[in-house]
Amino acid sequence: MAVCGLAGCAGCDGRATDGLQGEIRADGSSTVFPLSEAVAEEFMRDHPGVRVTVGVSGTGGGFGRFGRGETDISNASRPIKADEIDKATAAGVTFVELPVAYDGLAVIVHPENTWATCLSVAELKAIWEPGSAIRSWAQVRPGFPDRALVLYGPGTDSGTYDYFTEVIVGESGASRTDFSASEDDNVLVQGVGGDAGALGFFGLAYYEANAERLGLVGVDSTTAGPAQAARCVRPTPETVSDGRYAPLARPEFIYVRTSSLERPAVRAFVDTYLALAPALAREVGAVPLPPATMAAVRARLAARTEGSAFSGVEAGSRVDDILRGSPSPAAPSR
C-alpha cells in the first residue's frame, strides 16, 4: 500500500504483523466514522485475520458503550465529558485519548436559499437557543423573506450537537427542541435538500459529499448584531486548519481502552490509524493535523498517557496548544 510505504508505520508492513487475529470493536461519532472506516478497510486488507467493526451510535452513545467496556475504541467529535470519565472509571475502564484530525461544522441551507449566504454567531444563537421564537427567516434579519424557517440537526447523543450548542448557544446540550433531529447525517442531507426554508448543521465532510444538493453558509464570529460580509468565513480545509473558521472548527478523536492496547491486533490497528490519518483525512473530507501535532499524538500513544487533556477545555482551543499544555481558545467569549 503506497500510503503505508510513505508513512513507514508499525502495522503497515504485513511481514511485521503476520499472524494477527481477533476482532476490534469501534463505535461512536458519525463524523469520525468515515475516517475510521477507511482505516479499517486498509488494515483488514493487509491483515485478513483481524475483523474491525465500526458502529455509528453518536459520540454520546459510543462513550456509553466504551465506558461499559463493550468496545475497544470510541470515535468522538468532542472531548469526553467528566461524567463519562466517572462512569468509565467506576467500571474499571481507562483510556488513551488521541486527536486524529480537524473538522469544521458546516451550516447548510437549501440551494435555492440565496439570501442567507452568511450568518453571524449572534444570529445563529438567536435561532437555536432554548425558547427561541424565531419561526420565519424574516425574523432573523430585516430583508430576509417571510418564509418559514425549518430546522434540522444532529440528535442529542451527537458530539456535533454538543459542540454546536456549546460554541453557538453558550451551553452544551442547550437548544430549542422543535427541530428535526437524526443521528444519521444522510437523513439531514435529505431534509435540508428537500426544503427551501431549511437550515441545518453537520460535519463538513457530509456537506462536501453532497455539495450539489445543498447550500453552504459562511459564518461571521461576531456575537452581536447581523453578519457582515467582510468578516464572513466559509469552512475549507485551510480555514479549519488555521483557526479562521471560528468557532465552528474542532478536533476529532479516537479513545482507546488501555487494556485493549495489550492485544497486538489493537495496537497495530491504532499505529496504522495514526500513520494513515493525515492522508485518509483528505479523502474523507476531514482536515489533517499538522505533522508536528501528529508526532505529539504518536508520543502520547507510545507513552500510553491515560486520561483526557481536552475534557473541560474551552471549545475552540487548538490541538497543538493543548498538547503543549497551553490551550488558546479560538471561540469568542460570550
Side-chain angles (χ1 to χ4, degrees), residues 188-255:
L188 302 180
V189 170
Q190 293 170 9
V192 176
D195 191 329
L199 174 74
F201 65 92
F202 48 54
L204 179 59
Y206 283 92
Y207 165 75
E208 292 183 334
N210 297 276
E212 74 285 351
R213 303 168 59 186
L214 301 167
L216 183 63
V217 178
V219 175
D220 175 355
S221 61
T222 302
T223 58
Q228 295 187 18
R231 295 196 297 256
C232 194
V233 179
R234 290 163 63 92
T236 66
E238 293 74 26
T239 61
V240 168
S241 180
D242 64 21
R244 279 180 290 156
Y245 187 60
L248 291 176
R250 58 174 179 172
E252 298 179 349
F253 302 88
I254 61 172
Y255 288 76

